[in-house]
């Protein structure tokens, strides 16, 4: 057995009754390391979870990438965009390019008013079809069911609507069909208008020809806690929206592109930042195609990622990374400081032992290794305790949601948790290396201890 390692073990785990001075210092150092690593673990898991939750909510509602009419974005109007064969072929080419699970589907927006006997609300009606990915809506469904916005108008299958499955989804059908009258509203709208599932509600749409009325049946209620959408967005059949906008069956307000890069690329989970970088690459490739002249289209296409559409929200999320680094640096400094204090106290308490080892011929470097091993034992013990506490609290929050948040301010009803074991492993390794390196500084005191003086040290 290595001599330095053996002596360090005896100091750390042996003669506990004789360590009247160093005993409390060792406990304080261990607690300091444990608290520091626990706080760092919880901070990382919360920030990753929060960023992922907000990103998933936004992309679930508007997609990772949107293709719209350039003139519609420029002038802020709901301009019809033609779904040409050329555009469809180019999207299919992009879908086959990298092998990730990319989906795309048209949507059609129309502005109107939902009215009951007691109240009314100005609403954006978003028309979607059977090829629209409703996975996110299913996850946030609080009552009823997702209307089966089936372009084949198979009303008998409405109650068996399931989340989008690319392998079984039917291709986009341009044939003229009859829309259904189901509507999916948010919990906020349901509360204001006092609506519940199976209620009938009238919608009014105003254009240059006057007012048109439609009667819908509330089939489902969702809640995303994204107030800017929950307060003003409902989902209807895309054919209804097209008729209200006087669009043809090959026209829409835009196309949403979705992909789940964080769980599909190379079979490995990546970060939100990696998803954003991938969205930028896809946007640039699609831009190079769609900005070229399309003989079948009279308007240019604008291709934007969700970060381009909501720069403020994602800038806010990026600021959270700064907070993480500040907390990590502070906690590492606290751990290093408590460990340094503990090692200094041990060195002072073991001055006689140091003098004896020097008298027996032990070199300063060898004696410093003894106390570096000692510091490593304390750090590892504190980190084990800290990992148990930090990961335990994170798992408890993940499965019980006992810490709640105000969704109007944070967009989530409880603290979100995402445990990335790879990042946590790197964090533990980095903390161990940094603190051990810092502990070299107090061990330099050993070179100033002389055997002749240390033998008389009390």
């Amino acid at each position: 057995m290595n001599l330095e390692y053996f002596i360090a073990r005896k100091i750390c785990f042996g003669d506990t009754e004789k360590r009247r001075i160093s005993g409390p210092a060792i406990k304080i150092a261990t607690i300091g390391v444990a608290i520091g690593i626990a706080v760092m673990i919880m901070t990382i898991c919360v920030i990753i979870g929060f960023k992922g939750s907000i990103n998933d909510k936004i992309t679930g509602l508007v997609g990772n990438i949107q293709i719209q009419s350039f003139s519609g974005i420029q002038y802020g109007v709901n301009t019809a965009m033609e779904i040409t064969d050329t555009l469809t072929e180019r999207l299919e080419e992009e879908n086959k390019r990298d092998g990730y699970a990319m989906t795309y589907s048209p949507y059609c927006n129309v502005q109107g008013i939902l009215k009951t006997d007691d109240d009314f609300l100005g609403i954006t009606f978003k028309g979607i079809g059977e090829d629209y990915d409703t996975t996110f809506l299913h996850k946030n469904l609080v009552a009823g069911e997702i209307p089966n916005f089936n372009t084949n108008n198979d009303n008998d299958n409405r109650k068996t609507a399931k989340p989008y499955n690319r392998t079984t989804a039917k291709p986009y059908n341009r044939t003229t069909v009859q829309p259904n009258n189901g509507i999916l509203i948010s919990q906020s709208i349901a509360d204001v208008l006092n609506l519940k599932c199976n209620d009938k509600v009238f919608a009014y749409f105003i254009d240059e020809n006057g007012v048109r009325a439609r009667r819908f049946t509330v089939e489902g209620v969702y809640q995303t806690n994204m107030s800017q959408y929950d307060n003003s967005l409902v989902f209807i059949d895309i054919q209804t929206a097209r008729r209200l906008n006087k669009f043809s069956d090959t026209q829409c307000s835009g196309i949403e592109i979705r992909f789940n890069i964080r769980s599909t690329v190379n079979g490995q989970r990546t970060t939100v930042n990696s998803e954003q970088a991938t969205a930028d690459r896809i946007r640039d490739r699609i831009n190079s195609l769609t900005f070229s002249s399309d003989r079948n289209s009279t308007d240019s296409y604008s291709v934007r990622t969700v970060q381009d559409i909501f720069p403020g929200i994602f800038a806010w999320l990026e600021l959270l990374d700064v907070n993480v680094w500040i907390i990590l640096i502070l906690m590492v400094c606290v751990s290093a400081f408590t460990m340094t204090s503990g090692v200094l106290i041990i060195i002072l308490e073991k001055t006689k032992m140091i003098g004896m080892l020097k008298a027996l011929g032990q070199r300063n470097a060898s004696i410093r290794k003894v106390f570096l091993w000692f510091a490593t034992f304390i750090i590892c013990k504190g980190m084990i305790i800290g990992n148990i506490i930090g990961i335990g609290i994170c798992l408890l929050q993940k499965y019980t949601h006992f810490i709640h948040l105000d969704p109007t301010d944070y967009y989530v009803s409880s603290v979100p948790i995402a445990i990335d074991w790879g990042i946590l492993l790197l964090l533990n390794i980095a903390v161990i290396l940094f603190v051990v390196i810092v502990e070299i500084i107090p061990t330099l005191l050993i070179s100033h201890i002389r055997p002749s003086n240390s033998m008389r040290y009390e």
Side-chain angles (χ1 to χ4, degrees):
M1 181 182 293
N2 183 280
L3 178 61
E4 294 87 355
Y5 176 82
F6 175 78
I7 296 174
R9 280 195 59 187
K10 296 295 290 183
I11 296 174
C12 187
F13 302 111
D15 299 330
T16 56
E17 295 182 357
K18 298 181 180 180
R19 295 201 306 250
R20 298 176 181 177
I21 301 176
S22 62
I26 292 174
K27 291 181 181 179
I28 293 173
T30 304
I31 293 172
V33 173
I35 293 176
I37 195 68
V39 171
M40 286 187 279
I41 288 173
M42 289 187 289
T43 300
I44 290 175
C45 291
V46 169
I47 294 302
I48 293 177
F50 187 76
K51 292 179 67 175
S53 296
I54 301 302
N55 182 79
D56 292 343
K57 285 178 182 290
I58 297 176
T59 56
L61 287 167
V62 303
N64 297 92
I65 300 173
Q66 282 198 358
I67 303 176
Q68 294 174 291
S69 166
F70 183 80
S71 61
I73 295 176
Q74 185 177 16
Y75 298 109
V77 295
N78 187 22
T79 304
M81 189 187 81
E82 191 75 23
I83 308 175
T84 64
D85 292 333
T86 304
L87 176 59
T88 303
E89 290 172 1
R90 288 168 176 171
L91 289 175
E92 284 296 334
E93 290 175 2
E94 178 61 32
N95 186 27
K96 298 175 183 177
R97 181 175 181 128
D98 291 334
Y100 42 76
M102 188 184 91
T103 63
Y104 61 91
S105 52
Y107 66 92
C108 188
N109 290 338
V110 58
Q111 303 296 321
I113 298 173
L114 273 182
K115 186 179 184 306
T116 61
D117 294 337
D118 302 320
D119 211 339
F120 66 91
L121 275 178
I123 297 295
T124 297
F125 295 79
K126 184 172 184 177
I128 58 177
E130 64 177 344
D131 51 359
Y132 190 87
D133 188 346
T134 58
T135 303
F136 175 78
L137 295 177
H138 275 84
K139 290 180 179 178
N140 292 274
L141 192 67
V142 295
E145 58 196 6
I146 305 295
N148 186 18
F149 300 122
N150 194 327
T151 54
N152 291 326
N153 200 31
D154 187 3
N155 292 328
D156 294 335
N157 292 331
R158 189 175 301 175
K159 291 188 177 182
T160 62
K162 298 179 179 179
Y164 182 85
N165 187 334
R166 183 170 180 79
T167 59
T168 60
K170 299 178 182 178
Y172 176 66
N173 189 349
R174 295 181 179 176
T175 59
T176 303
V177 295
Q178 295 294 324
N180 66 54
N181 65 343
I183 188 173
L184 177 69
I185 67 175
S186 70
Q187 185 64 59
S188 301
I189 296 174
D191 292 339
V192 172
L193 298 180
N194 194 25
L195 292 172
K196 58 183 182 299
C197 291
N198 299 321
D199 283 353
K200 308 294 183 181
V201 60
F202 280 94
Y204 297 90
F205 304 91
I206 303 173
D207 57 18
E208 65 276 5
N209 297 322
V211 179
R212 288 178 291 176
R214 294 288 188 277
R215 191 177 76 162
F216 294 99
T217 301
V218 178
E219 295 193 10
V221 179
Y222 74 92
Q223 183 177 10
T224 67
N225 293 319
M226 299 286 291
S227 58
Q228 63 191 96
Y229 288 100
D230 288 356
N231 295 337
S232 61
L233 183 65
V234 299
F235 293 86
I236 60 174
D237 186 86
I238 192 171
Q239 290 300 119
T240 301
R242 280 177 173 146
R243 290 186 177 185
L244 292 168
N245 281 326
K246 298 181 180 179
F247 289 177
S248 70
D249 292 340
T250 61
Q251 291 179 328
C252 63
S253 299
I255 295 177
E256 291 181 358
I257 299 176
R258 287 180 171 81
F259 54 84
N260 191 8
I261 200 73
R262 281 182 288 155
S263 60
T264 56
V265 171
N266 298 326
Q268 297 179 355
R269 183 175 178 84
T270 59
T271 63
V272 172
N273 293 334
S274 298
E275 184 174 306
Q276 294 174 5
T278 303
D280 290 338
R281 289 196 297 270
I282 297 174
R283 175 201 58 195
D284 294 340
R285 289 201 294 262
I286 296 178
N287 258 328
S288 64
L289 298 174
T290 56
F291 271 127
S292 58
S293 59
D294 189 341
R295 296 177 181 178
N296 298 320
S297 178
T298 59
D299 191 13
S300 298
Y301 299 125
S302 172
V303 186
R304 299 184 298 168
T305 66
V306 67
Q307 292 79 28
D308 299 328
I309 301 172
F310 302 103
I313 293 178
F314 285 92
W316 170 52
L317 293 179
E318 289 179 0
L319 287 176
L320 296 178
D321 293 336
V322 178
N323 297 335
V324 171
W325 282 109
I326 292 174
I327 293 174
L328 292 182
I329 292 172
L330 289 176
M331 290 299 101
V332 169
C333 290
V334 168
S335 300
F337 178 78
T338 55
M339 278 302 308
T340 300
S341 302
V343 171
L344 281 174
I345 292 173
I346 287 293
I347 290 174
L348 293 175
E349 187 181 63
K350 299 298 180 181
T351 301
K352 283 187 178 182
M353 184 197 75
I354 294 172
M356 186 178 297
L357 290 173
K358 284 190 174 184
L360 293 173
Q362 202 78 1
R363 299 193 178 192
N364 288 327
S366 178
I367 299 174
R368 282 201 296 268
K369 289 181 182 179
V370 172
F371 290 94
L372 287 178
W373 272 114
F374 168 79
T376 303
F377 292 148
I378 300 301
I379 294 168
C380 291
K381 182 179 178 181
M383 293 190 68
I384 291 173
I385 298 173
N387 275 271
I388 294 173
I389 295 174
I391 296 175
I393 294 175
C394 288
L395 291 175
L396 186 63
Q397 171 63 22
K398 183 177 181 178
Y399 293 108
T400 64
H401 308 289
F402 69 96
I403 302 177
H404 300 282
L405 295 175
D406 184 357
T408 58
D409 295 326
Y410 298 98
Y411 304 119
V412 288
S413 57
S414 63
V415 176
I417 297 293
I419 300 177
D420 191 317
W421 300 106
I423 293 179
L424 296 186
L425 178 61
L426 291 175
L427 173 67
N428 280 269
I429 294 174
V431 171
I432 290 176
L433 292 177
F434 178 80
V435 178
V436 170
I437 291 173
V438 170
E439 295 315 303
I440 295 176
I441 298 174
T443 61
L444 296 176
L445 178 63
I446 294 172
S447 61
H448 298 285
I449 298 176
R450 300 185 181 279
S452 59
N453 296 328
S454 63
M455 295 297 185
R456 299 190 301 269
Y457 180 80
E458 292 294 340

